[in-house]
Amino acid sequence: METVMQFTFVLEAASAAMLLVLLYIYLKSRKVLKNAFTLGLVVFAGFLFLNSIGMLYTHAYTAGIYKIELGFVFATAILKVVALAALLYITWKGV
């Protein structure tokens, strides 16, 4: 049980790191393109980054207190990392 929580924490940290890279790329693109689409990407990545930081806090400080559905949290963390990795790959190739 604790291993799943630790791995979920690592996945959220990876998500936060990938989102920082995406934010950097989108902000760089925003300076050049200055359109609503790139602003939307910056806002989207920014809110997802805040979500990842919030989840890191939740996993770090409530790990032993609340017995939430770890399978669900773990599965969503995996899906988020896979989705962000795909988005980062596509964005990186386009730069």
Side-chain angles (χ1 to χ4, degrees):
M1 180 85 89
E2 188 170 317
T3 305
V4 172
M5 293 181 85
Q6 290 172 344
F7 194 61
T8 304
F9 186 85
V10 169
L11 289 172
E12 285 296 338
S15 293
M18 285 189 281
L19 283 162
L20 280 177
V21 173
L22 283 168
L23 269 170
Y24 172 76
I25 293 169
Y26 293 157
L27 285 169
K28 203 165 106 176
S29 296
R30 175 75 178 143
K31 288 180 183 177
V32 175
L33 298 175
K34 297 183 183 180
N35 60 19
F37 180 71
T38 54
L39 177 61
L41 289 173
V42 169
V43 171
F44 178 75
F47 278 116
L48 273 180
F49 175 73
L50 292 175
N51 173 266
S52 288
I53 296 301
M55 291 306 291
L56 282 171
Y57 173 82
T58 301
H59 294 314
Y61 292 105
T62 63
I65 299 171
Y66 300 106
K67 297 297 179 190
I68 56 176
E69 289 291 328
L70 286 179
F72 176 75
V73 173
F74 181 67
T76 57
I78 288 175
L79 289 174
K80 189 162 128 182
V81 166
V82 169
L84 287 172
L87 182 61
L88 184 58
Y89 176 76
I90 291 167
T91 302
W92 196 273
K93 283 190 76 162
V95 171

